Amino acid sequence: MSLKVLKFGGTSLADAEHFRQVANIIKSEPERRYVVASAPGKRYSSDIKVTDMLYKCYELSINEESVDEIFEEICERYNSIIRDLELDMDLSEAYAKIRLSLAHNSGRDYIASRGEYLNAMILAKYLGFDFIDAKKVIFFNDDGSFDAEKTNNTMKEYLSRHTYAVIPGFYGSMPNGTIKTFSRGGSDITGSIVARAASASLYENWTDVSGFLMADPRVVPDPKPIDVITYKELRELSYMGATVLHEDSIFPVRYSKIPINVRNTNRPEDKGTMIVPQDDAAVGSIVTGIAGKSGFSTISVEKDMMNSELGFGRRVLQVIEEAGISFEHLPSGIDTLSVVLSSKELAGKRADIMAGICKAVNPDNIYVEENLALIAVVGRGMVKAKGTSARIFAALAAADVNIRMIDQGSCEMNIIIGVDANDYVVALNAIYNEFVK
Ligand code: ASP
C-alpha cells in the first residue's frame, strides 16, 4: 500500500481553524499516515511565530529578566487552540516543566524545540494519532552533525509500531540526551527523514503557497508556477536564494528517490509543485526557474604568463580557504583569475586576503570589485539544447545590461550570470520574459 508522509508548516498550524483544515486534508486519504508538525506560525502579518517567542524567552531568562508575560502568551497560543478545538487536554504540566527549565537555564535549542513538541501533541490528540517524540528517533553526533544511519534505523523501528503518528519537527537529541535543533525552518528536514524511513511513496510538504514559482514574485510580476522540478534543479535554485523548502530537506528523500509535493494548506485543490528525481522528469520548457542574489564581490588577480605557473590557482585559493571563506565561482582568462565570493564574508578580512595573495603569487595587479549580483538560469531542458546562452545574452543586451561574469555548470543545467547589483531587477525580468512570455 502506498504511504504518504506530510509536513505542515507553522502558518498551516497557527490556530484552530488551520488545525481543522489540516485534519480534513489528512483524513481525506488513509495513506496519509505520518505527520510532521511545526510550531504555530504567524496568524497575521504582524503576529510573532511561537519559535521566535521561545528564543526571546530564552534570551530574557539568561539576562535574568522576567519571562512571565511572554511565557503566558505562548501558553495562551496553545490553550486557545485546545479550547477552540474542544479538546479534552491539559498541557499545564508540560508548561510548568518548560518554565522550570528556563529558570535553570536549560539549553537554547531545548527551549526552541518546545514549540513543535507542544503543537505536535495537540495535533496527535486532535487526529487520534500516536505521538512520537522526535528526541527518540532523530539523532545528532557529538560534533553536531546529523546521524543519518542511526536515525533511519531507529525511526524505521518506531514507525513499524505505529500505523498513524504525529512527530514534532525541527529537533532531535545529542548522544548525551540533550536536545538539539536543525537550523531555522528545519521541520522540512524532519519530514524528509521520516519519509525516507517510512519508504513513503510521497512526501507532501504543506505550506502557505501553491508550490514554487519560476522567479521571485518580488522581482518579477506574477511569475508562473513550476509544475515539476528535479531535486538537482531545486538545489541550484534554492542555493541562489529561492526559498520555500529548507535547503537540506532534499537530501534524505533524494537518497531513496521519494518525490516531494509542495502544497498549499489554504488551497488544497491546487496541485502544487512536484520535486522528482531526474529520470522521472519529462522535459517541458527549456528553463525551469530563475533565481538570484546580490551581495557578491570579485577579487581579480592578473599576472603575465600566469597560465604556465604551476599551482597558481591553488595558492590563491589557499589564501581564501585559510581566511575561512568558501568561494562561489572562479572565472579565469589566460593571465587573469577572478574569485567570486560573498561580500559579507569578505568584509573585515579583505586587507589580509589581498596581502596573502600578493605574498603567495606576487601578481602584477590585484583589485576587488563590489556590488555583483548573480543570476542562475536553471533548467534540465537546457542540457544539450542549442542557443540558450545566446538568447540570455541577447535579452540582456536588449535590456542594456552589461554582463560581468558568465559561468556554465558542467552539467549544462545552469548558467550563472554576474551583473551589477543595480541591473539585477532589469536583468532578471529580461531573462524571464525571453523564456516565459
Ligand atoms: N519552528 C522552526 C522555525 O521557526 C522550525 C520550522 O518551522 O520548520 O524555524
Side-chain angles (χ1 to χ4, degrees):
M1 179 179 132
S2 71
L3 179 164
K4 294 181 185 172
V5 170
L6 295 78
K7 177 257 166 175
F8 289 90
T11 48
S12 302
L13 293 169
D15 53 24
E17 194 41 48
H18 278 93
F19 267 67
R20 285 191 198 98
Q21 269 166 276
V22 163
N24 282 339
I25 291 168
I26 298 167
K27 296 282 169 117
S28 67
E29 290 184 25
E31 59 266 35
R32 288 181 166 150
R33 285 179 36 195
Y34 299 122
V35 180
V36 171
S38 281
K42 292 184 179 198
R43 294 159 293 183
Y44 39 86
S45 62
S46 60
D47 199 11
I48 306 175
K49 292 170 84 169
V50 165
T51 309
D52 291 321
M53 294 167 91
L54 287 162
Y55 279 125
K56 180 80 193 166
C57 261
Y58 176 79
E59 256 133 54
L60 289 172
S61 86
I62 55 165
N63 291 325
E64 291 177 13
E65 290 175 56
S66 166
V67 301
D68 289 346
E69 199 179 321
I70 186 160
F71 195 76
E72 200 47 44
E73 270 179 58
I74 295 172
C75 299
E76 183 45 29
R77 288 285 309 259
Y78 292 106
N79 286 340
S80 70
I81 297 173
I82 294 173
R83 252 193 333 265
D84 290 355
L85 295 176
E86 296 178 7
L87 292 177
D88 177 17
M89 189 179 203
D90 180 3
L91 289 177
S92 20
E93 253 182 57
Y95 301 148
K97 208 172 153 202
I98 302 168
R99 187 73 184 74
L100 200 67
S101 307
L102 273 166
H104 288 109
N105 288 343
S106 295
R108 183 171 186 266
D109 282 12
Y110 170 77
I111 298 300
S113 74
R114 297 304 88 185
E116 345 297 289
Y117 173 80
L118 296 169
N119 225 22
M121 290 229 284
I122 299 175
L123 185 62
K125 172 89 179 170
Y126 185 49
L127 294 169
F129 281 19
D130 297 337
F131 171 81
I132 302 178
D133 191 345
K135 78 171 181 198
K136 296 184 178 155
V137 284
I138 296 209
F139 302 103
F140 295 91
N141 297 304
D142 274 321
D143 64 1
S145 59
F146 171 58
D147 186 343
E149 285 326 296
K150 182 175 173 196
T151 298
N152 196 42
N153 295 336
T154 315
M155 179 83 78
K156 259 194 175 123
E157 198 191 303
Y158 266 78
L159 296 180
S160 70
R161 284 188 263 132
H162 302 271
T163 314
Y164 290 97
V166 178
I167 302 142
F170 192 36
Y171 71 94
S173 55
M174 293 290 288
N176 67 3
T178 55
I179 298 291
K180 176 173 163 55
T181 63
F182 292 109
S183 56
R184 295 300 305 265
S187 300
D188 284 341
I189 311 177
T190 310
S192 183
I193 292 166
V194 176
R196 177 187 170 202
S199 302
S201 52
L202 185 64
Y203 169 27
E204 292 181 339
N205 191 297
W206 292 82
T207 168
D208 55 2
V209 290
S210 295
F212 297 102
L213 298 171
M214 286 191 69
D216 185 341
R218 289 166 302 184
V219 181
V220 172
D222 205 15
K224 283 196 176 160
I226 301 176
D227 294 334
V228 178
I229 185 170
T230 66
Y231 300 134
K232 254 194 193 158
E233 289 172 318
L234 178 63
R235 178 129 171 76
E236 299 276 352
L237 289 171
S238 16
Y239 183 71
M240 286 301 278
T243 51
V244 169
L245 267 191
H246 192 294
E247 232 191 292
D248 293 342
S249 62
I250 304 168
F251 295 108
V253 284
R254 183 175 180 170
Y255 186 85
S256 21
K257 301 195 170 182
I258 299 165
I260 309 174
N261 190 191
V262 178
R263 301 282 294 263
N264 187 346
T265 303
N266 303 318
R267 293 181 55 93
E269 63 283 5
D270 290 354
K271 288 203 311 247
T273 301
M274 278 298 259
I275 309 164
V276 299
Q278 190 83 5
D279 312 342
D280 299 353
V283 172
S285 53
I286 293 185
V287 170
T288 305
I290 306 160
K293 287 201 260 200
S294 34
F296 294 97
S297 303
T298 315
I299 303 177
S300 295
V301 187
E302 297 175 358
K303 189 174 185 185
D304 270 351
M305 307 303 287
M306 166 195 295
N307 215 28
S308 55
E309 206 175 304
L310 208 60
F312 192 96
R314 182 189 49 75
R315 276 178 275 146
V316 171
L317 291 181
Q318 192 163 349
V319 175
I320 312 268
E321 182 185 339
E322 280 164 8
I325 302 181
S326 66
F327 72 93
E328 301 287 327
H329 297 279
L330 203 63
S332 61
I334 299 179
D335 289 335
T336 61
L337 176 79
S338 300
V339 187
V340 178
L341 29 74
S342 144
S343 309
K344 214 159 130 201
E345 290 200 52
L346 183 62
K349 297 178 176 169
R350 183 172 161 162
D352 285 349
I353 289 179
M354 300 291 269
I357 295 177
C358 287
K359 193 162 163 237
V361 294
N362 191 23
D364 298 335
N365 193 12
I366 176 167
Y367 54 92
V368 175
E369 284 175 296
E370 309 274 4
N371 260 338
L372 183 73
L374 297 178
I375 298 174
V377 185
V378 176
R380 58 192 181 278
M382 279 169 19
V383 182
K384 301 211 164 67
K386 294 183 184 116
T388 314
S389 325
R391 286 176 67 185
I392 296 174
F393 302 149
L396 291 175
D400 201 23
V401 173
N402 175 42
I403 300 174
R404 282 174 50 185
M405 188 209 86
I406 304 159
D407 193 356
Q408 177 173 26
S410 48
C411 59
E412 284 187 59
M413 209 188 60
N414 64 350
I415 296 174
I416 314 268
I417 298 126
V419 298
D420 193 284
N422 298 325
D423 289 334
Y424 175 66
V425 173
V426 173
L428 217 131
N429 277 283
I431 300 171
Y432 179 84
N433 291 335
E434 169 61 30
F435 288 96
V436 184
K437 294 267 159 85

